């Protein structure tokens, strides 16, 4: 039997190429034609066809009726488990964050155009915020989502919003792409996002994107607007930024 060719870093070339194709599919919004994949990857068409056929047979890619290829359902279980492991790894720093600021700490990632909460440590206050781990929301209506969107290229943000729409969670939710674009520039400049009762009335959230995370991710602190006043935000935001930096520095080595 012929030996597999080695790729970069001594890896198996065909395996590397297969994962690169999956990443290219994700970068295009989850669907692309073979010719588009050839352009993106620089691989010859016969190689792409062979790899895609294998991925389809395993359930990691599916072929649509328009002859485009899309990410397959079998990836969902892998992604969800990886996200939960990411949350478990980050939990000790979330505990420290709660101890320092006294409010609920959250960790979320961007997955398939949605914010997914992968970890939470509640505050010790009798009145506190609670978001179920695994809950999914659209990013334009959450502090963590806006923090992550502010780190993405404007074109990617526009494509995402076109796919998801911008429904209102409350009367304060951003529902206009242009207004949100202005908000994202502000977030990028100040280094943190605020959710001003945009996802839930009476709740304020301070969120910071995690630099260098394997997927877009953000850490946040949330609590009643009466406790998370403007003065409290000015003191808590630097603490959340510090924790985001520590999470970035301690990311698991791949």
């Amino acid at each position: 039997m012929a030996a597999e060719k080695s790729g970069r870093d001594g890896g198996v070339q065909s395996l590397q190429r297969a994962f690169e194709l999956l990443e290219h599919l994700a970068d295009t919004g989850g669907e692309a034609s073979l010719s588009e994949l050839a352009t993106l990857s620089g691989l010859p068409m016969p190689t792409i066809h062979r790899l895609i056929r294998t991925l389809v047979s395993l359930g990691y890619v599916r072929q649509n009726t328009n002859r485009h290829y899309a990410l397959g359902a079998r990836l969902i279980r892998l992604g969800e488990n990886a996200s939960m492991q990411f949350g478990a790894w980050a939990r000790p720093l979330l505990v420290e964050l709660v101890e320092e600021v006294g409010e609920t700490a959250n960790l979320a990632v961007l997955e398939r155009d949605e914010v997914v909460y992968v970890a939470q440590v509640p505050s010790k206050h009798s009145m506190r915020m609670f978001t179920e781990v695994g809950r999914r929301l659209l990013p334009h209506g959450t502090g963590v989502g806006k923090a992550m969107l502010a780190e993405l290229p404007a074109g990617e943000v526009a494509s995402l919003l076109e796919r998801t729409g911008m429904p209102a969670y409350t009367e304060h939710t951003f529902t206009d792409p242009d207004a949100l674009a202005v908000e994202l520039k502000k977030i990028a400049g100040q280094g943190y996002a605020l959710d001003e009762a945009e996802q839930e009335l009476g709740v304020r959230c301070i969120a910071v994107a995690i630099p260098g995370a394997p997927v877009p991710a953000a850490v946040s602190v949330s609590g009643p607007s009466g406790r998370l006043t403007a003065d409290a935000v000015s003191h808590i935001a630097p603490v959340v930024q510090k924790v985001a930096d520590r999470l970035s520095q301690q990311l698991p080595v791949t």
Side-chain angles (χ1 to χ4, degrees), residues 2 54 60 92 103 105 116 150 154 176 191 222:
T54 301
Y60 296 115
E103 300 292 349
V116 183
D176 177 72
S222 56

Side-chain angles (χ1 to χ4, degrees), residues 172-191:
H172 304 293
T173 307
F174 281 89
T175 57
D176 177 72
D178 293 334
L180 180 62
V182 173
E183 174 76 356
L184 296 182
K185 286 183 181 179
K186 176 182 176 183
I187 291 167
Q190 67 188 14

Side-chain angles (χ1 to χ4, degrees), residues 25-243:
L25 277 174
D27 291 340
T28 60
E31 179 180 302
S33 66
L34 288 179
S35 60
E36 288 171 331
L37 289 173
T39 300
L40 290 168
S41 67
L43 295 174
M45 189 67 75
T47 300
I48 291 177
H49 191 270
R50 174 173 56 83
L51 292 171
I52 286 291
R53 188 172 60 229
T54 301
L55 290 169
V56 168
S57 70
L58 293 172
Y60 296 115
V61 170
R62 58 183 170 82
Q63 185 177 19
N64 293 335
T65 55
N66 61 1
R67 300 184 66 80
H68 284 201
Y69 290 87
L71 296 175
R74 196 166 182 183
L75 289 169
I76 295 174
R77 179 173 62 89
L78 297 181
E80 289 179 345
N81 276 278
S83 294
M84 293 306 123
Q85 287 297 317
F86 184 44
W89 161 80
R91 186 176 175 82
L93 281 178
L94 297 185
V95 170
E96 290 184 25
L97 181 56
V98 173
E99 290 176 349
E100 186 163 355
V101 304
E103 300 292 349
T104 297
N106 312 280
L107 179 69
V109 299
L110 189 63
E111 184 179 283
R112 301 196 304 279
D113 291 348
E114 294 176 313
V115 165
V116 183
Y117 288 87
V118 297
Q120 181 180 83
V121 176
S123 79
K124 296 179 181 178
H125 291 289
S126 57
M127 180 182 291
R128 60 189 181 223
M129 301 303 102
F130 177 78
T131 297
E132 182 181 0
V133 171
R135 186 182 185 190
R136 293 176 175 271
L137 294 166
L138 295 180
H140 72 282
T142 67
V144 285
K146 291 192 299 179
M148 290 185 271
L149 292 181
E151 297 292 306
L152 298 178
E156 287 187 27
V157 174
S159 297
L160 184 152
L161 296 176
E162 186 176 348
R163 291 190 298 269
T164 64
M166 297 179 66
Y169 290 117
T170 76
E171 61 193 75
H172 304 293
T173 307
F174 281 89
T175 57
D176 177 72
D178 293 334
L180 180 62
V182 173
E183 174 76 356
L184 296 182
K185 286 183 181 179
K186 176 182 176 183
I187 291 167
Q190 67 188 14
Y192 63 90
L194 287 179
D195 171 355
E196 301 277 16
E198 297 158 43
Q199 196 269 312
E200 185 176 349
L201 291 175
V203 175
R204 180 170 282 130
C205 175
I206 309 162
V208 177
I210 299 173
V215 295
V219 61
S220 72
V221 163
S222 56
S225 301
R227 284 204 307 263
L228 281 183
T229 61
D231 184 60
V233 167
S234 67
H235 292 92
I236 292 175
V239 180
V240 182
Q241 290 172 318
K242 180 180 67 176
V243 169

